[in-house]
Amino acid sequence: LDSWTAALRSDDEAALRELIDFDADPGFADREIARAQALRGLPLSDFGYEITPGPETPVPVDRADALAATEVWAPNVALRYAWADADIGSTSRDIALVVARRGDTWRLVSDADLPQYGRTTWRGPWDFGPVVTERVATGSTTSLVVGHEAQRAFIDDLAAELPSAVAAVTEFAGLGWSRRAVLTVTGSDAEFISAADGFTSTDVAASTIADPV
């Protein structure tokens, strides 16, 4: 997992291909390479994968048999990330990962959803194409607007509104909050649903979410 993180953060295509099993899901390597390119230069203070507690997920029998590996495993894995300055702590999102061992070497097979076991993979902005960010001074704090180049005009408009919006919330709620925000401008229904933490209605203008504290 640490090698996976390092290859993504350094946009190292050769290292990514070495980490992916030769019987991996079709297109998995290309998606990982595109993710690495989208992550390049983003202001992330934390980004990495970690094994989390919980019961193991069975690997579908047909999937395990098709791999013909020494061992096939679906560990409980989460992606941990934080935006520099704008986040006061890291966010953790579940990943439905399958890995295979051949000899002494583990490689990545898939991060596709495993709906039969209730496991899904969260997708971040970097999974939907190149990402642009705009840092915004919101009083004594820094906030962030995240999106894609096609939404640049909307990103600029939101960045202009953000200082007064944060001030308005502080005036209403007091000082007992972080006084900063991360706004994500999505470019598709699928990205909106992922960004809104699974909220499936797209007939709304926006959704507000907060990580558990």
Side-chain angles (χ1 to χ4, degrees):
L1 296 180
D2 289 342
S3 297
W4 185 18
T5 298
L8 285 171
R9 293 306 309 273
S10 61
D11 189 16
D12 189 334
E13 179 177 340
L16 278 172
R17 291 193 182 278
E18 177 63 25
L19 288 168
I20 295 173
D21 191 81
F22 56 79
D23 276 338
D25 283 356
F28 183 43
D30 290 339
R31 290 192 297 272
E32 287 302 296
I33 292 165
R35 176 184 293 170
Q37 292 171 348
L39 283 165
R40 186 192 303 140
L42 291 186
L44 291 162
S45 58
D46 189 17
F47 185 95
Y49 297 93
E50 58 188 5
I51 293 177
T52 57
E56 290 190 15
T57 300
V59 177
V61 174
D62 58 341
R63 191 72 177 98
D65 290 346
L67 286 167
T70 308
E71 187 176 357
V72 183
W73 187 29
N76 290 299
V77 172
L79 168 64
R80 185 192 66 251
Y81 76 95
W83 295 103
D85 299 324
D87 275 331
I88 60 174
S90 296
T91 294
S92 183
R93 294 284 185 256
D94 290 335
I95 303 295
L97 186 66
V98 175
V99 295
R101 180 171 66 86
R102 302 182 189 277
D104 295 329
T105 302
W106 288 97
R107 287 190 171 88
L108 308 170
V109 172
S110 172
D111 69 347
D113 295 346
L114 297 170
Q116 63 269 53
Y117 302 118
R119 294 286 302 279
T120 58
T121 290
W122 179 82
R123 305 293 179 186
W126 40 82
D127 292 305
F128 296 92
V131 179
V132 296
T133 61
E134 190 161 339
R135 290 165 55 93
V136 182
T138 45
S140 60
T141 63
T142 299
S143 294
L144 194 69
V145 185
V146 179
H148 308 284
E149 191 59 49
Q151 289 89 38
R152 171 62 78 176
F154 192 26
I155 290 170
D156 291 343
D157 288 345
L158 288 173
E161 296 276 358
L162 197 47
S164 60
V166 169
V169 173
T170 302
E171 183 178 357
F172 175 79
L175 300 178
W177 73 296
S178 67
R179 284 165 284 161
R180 65 191 77 190
V182 176
L183 303 186
T184 301
V185 182
T186 60
S188 66
D189 287 351
E191 185 177 5
F192 176 84
I193 290 169
S194 184
D197 206 18
F199 182 69
T200 56
S201 174
T202 56
D203 295 327
V204 296
S207 176
T208 302
I209 62 171
D211 293 333
V213 296

